[in-house]
Amino acid sequence: MKSYTKLHFGLLSLSFLLMGCGATTLVSTPVANIDKVPLKVSELTEAQKKTWGHADLISDTIPGMSVDKAYAQIIKNRRGKKVIVAVVDSGIDLEHEDLDDVLWTNKGERPNNGKDDDGNGYVDDIHGYNFLGEAYNEQLEYVRMLRLNVGDASARAKARLKLDEEYPKALQNKQQYEQILQVVKGADEAVQKELGKNIYTKKELMGIEAKTEKMEQSIAILNQMFAYGDDIPSVIDELNEGIEYFSEQVNYNLNKDFNGRTVVGDDPYNFNDRSYGNGNPKNRVDSESHGTHVAGIIAAERNNGKGVNGVATNVEIMSLRAVPNGDEYDKDIALAIRYATDNGAKIINCSFGKSFSPNAEWVYDAIKYAASKDVLIVHAAGNDGDDLDKVENPNYPNDHKYSGAEFSNNVITVGALTENYGSQMVANFSNYGKQNVDIFAPGAGIYSTLPNNTYDFQGGTSMAAPAVAGIAALIRSFYPELSAPQVKQILIESGLKTKASVIVSGDAEKGTTFDQISKSGKMANAFNALLLADNISKGKKTLASNTK
């Protein structure tokens, strides 16, 4: 699952269209005046754009998680217990300036000696483990199923239908992006020559007196492009990203003849074949940025004068490289969850997912194993804009096996919010579901760490999940006696609830109310969560589910 959104341009009759992460009292839910909070109609400042997920809805009119408020009024100078948070994801930049001091270190292992010093079954696993070896690009699961004849006949039939639909679409999108790029470049070159400068504003563009039909057309094209970027070079960068994204789909993700697992050397459909991977979970290429971004949201070093502040303090990040540029393998995910559980993680962030899972039971068993060891799993809801309660929209992993009842009480599934409180606050890419999504959190346009000591914005439910994982880490740090199910229930019960009308899937015809798109009907809130955790810890309140 691609856990971030990319700008998507379509070419229709030469028209370019944009398509498509100490107070003393608990604020009551629903908050008394939350539905009276004014809509955020003004543009956010640059500083607000980089930190909006930590803002407070009441004071800032931005649907953040009140993180700054929690630190100012609750946490202050308190010191909690260290909490290990495992990030099951792509590789992480282990040398990043904002992450290097928050990495988990396996003290029982000696680095780079080729031995399993601590006897945990993994060699040289200093900061985690790499279940992908040197692999990176991968097929989607349903394409692998067709290549290898894996899964039952019904699943393969669905896979064939999906591939027959998706491959031509990806190829067409790639070609359209390439066509658009050439048109934009041609128009840009003409305008640069006319103005005598490489960079120009929209005002300068519109000030050109077109003397030819070609120049008039160039101005019209570039005028539309300014809707998608502050300048034309940034739009061209977006187009190149689009070409790269759809090229990867055509060449790897949807290419039935591609095999990205060869360099790993294992049989990924044999759960007992476990002698593979290595102890270096660092990202292999710069574009492998997802895990680094997720880790920064959870625990980037706070107040060090660099980059961003993570949600949590007193956290150690365990890096588990198990999510390639394509669909993850069930075996890798199951083993990563078990590794995290066996090596001390109390929270596992899972910002990935897929619609086919031929060995889902391996992952289900791993989830139950984590539950038996009191480990909380935070999972991204997915980026298809789908209602996950509908049987035609399967999403793996999950905690219900499509049987109705949850088989485990240690998984919380998170949808994504935008910074715009009101009808547009549900990210158009975010999956939702009254039964199968638990809560929503900031996930669109989130600023965080990227490889090579850089920072940028990414969006997706993949960004919303680590935001909630960060709150969970705060709870487990300051109230370590609370169990994983209790932490889950605290996150759910302490969120902000509103009946505001919202649009889902970016479709104005799919209007509903916010309280109907998740089980809680709420937005995650760090301030409230810590207050409720304090009350539960002291026996002043009980949870609705009586979870222990």
Side-chain angles (χ1 to χ4, degrees), residues 21-270:
C21 144
T24 56
T25 59
L26 178 70
V27 180
S28 61
T29 52
V31 174
N33 65 342
I34 189 172
D35 287 321
K36 297 180 181 179
V37 172
L39 304 186
K40 188 73 178 181
V41 294
S42 59
E43 285 290 325
L44 272 60
T45 65
E46 285 303 311
Q48 287 176 319
K49 288 178 182 178
K50 292 180 178 180
T51 61
W52 77 265
H54 293 200
D56 179 71
L57 179 60
I58 303 299
S59 61
D60 303 317
T61 67
I62 301 170
M65 303 188 301
S66 304
V67 175
D68 294 337
K69 182 178 179 181
Y71 274 92
Q73 299 185 29
I74 300 176
I75 299 172
K76 294 185 178 178
N77 297 319
R78 293 173 60 187
R79 292 186 62 84
K81 179 182 178 182
K82 281 286 185 183
V83 176
I84 300 172
V85 179
V87 175
V88 180
D89 213 295
S90 69
I92 293 175
D93 182 357
L94 304 177
E95 287 83 39
H96 196 288
E97 62 183 7
D98 233 355
L99 297 172
D100 53 359
D101 286 340
V102 296
L103 296 176
W104 171 74
T105 298
N106 183 356
K107 295 180 174 59
E109 195 77 6
R110 295 179 181 178
N112 304 317
N113 67 355
K115 298 179 181 179
D116 178 17
D117 299 292
D118 61 356
N120 70 350
Y122 296 89
V123 175
D124 290 337
D125 54 323
I126 302 301
H127 298 300
Y129 199 73
N130 169 23
F131 290 92
L132 299 179
E134 301 311 306
Y136 176 53
N137 290 308
E138 255 300 346
Q139 292 174 312
L140 298 183
E141 186 68 73
Y142 65 88
V143 183
R144 292 197 294 254
M145 290 169 61
L146 293 172
R147 175 170 61 86
L148 299 171
N149 202 32
V150 171
D152 60 40
S154 175
R156 292 198 305 274
K158 292 177 182 177
R160 169 53 63 190
L161 288 173
K162 192 169 181 64
L163 181 58
D164 287 346
E165 176 186 1
E166 295 298 327
Y167 183 85
K169 189 188 302 182
L171 184 60
Q172 182 182 36
N173 283 330
K174 174 179 176 290
Q175 293 168 344
Q176 285 184 335
Y177 266 66
E178 291 169 340
Q179 292 168 358
I180 293 169
L181 178 62
Q182 292 308 309
V183 171
V184 172
K185 279 186 172 180
D188 183 43
E189 289 173 5
V191 169
Q192 285 186 35
K193 184 176 181 180
E194 178 71 19
L195 292 174
K197 59 197 312 185
N198 295 332
I199 305 293
Y200 47 87
T201 65
K202 183 177 180 180
K203 183 178 180 180
E204 289 172 323
L205 172 71
M206 300 312 294
I208 297 174
E209 183 179 348
K211 297 177 181 178
T212 65
E213 183 177 345
K214 182 178 180 180
M215 179 57 68
E216 185 176 351
Q217 185 181 50
S218 294
I219 293 170
I221 290 169
L222 296 174
N223 181 40
Q224 292 184 37
M225 291 299 99
F226 269 103
Y228 311 128
D230 295 331
D231 52 51
I232 298 306
S234 66
V235 172
I236 289 175
D237 286 344
E238 293 287 353
L239 286 167
N240 279 317
E241 281 191 26
I243 292 171
E244 181 182 2
Y245 173 70
F246 289 113
S247 294
E248 288 175 352
Q249 285 198 322
V250 170
N251 294 334
Y252 308 121
N253 306 153
L254 300 173
N255 181 359
K256 190 168 177 286
D257 297 322
F258 177 70
N259 181 2
R261 195 73 175 192
T262 302
V263 296
V264 181
D266 73 317
D267 177 358
Y269 293 95
N270 178 359

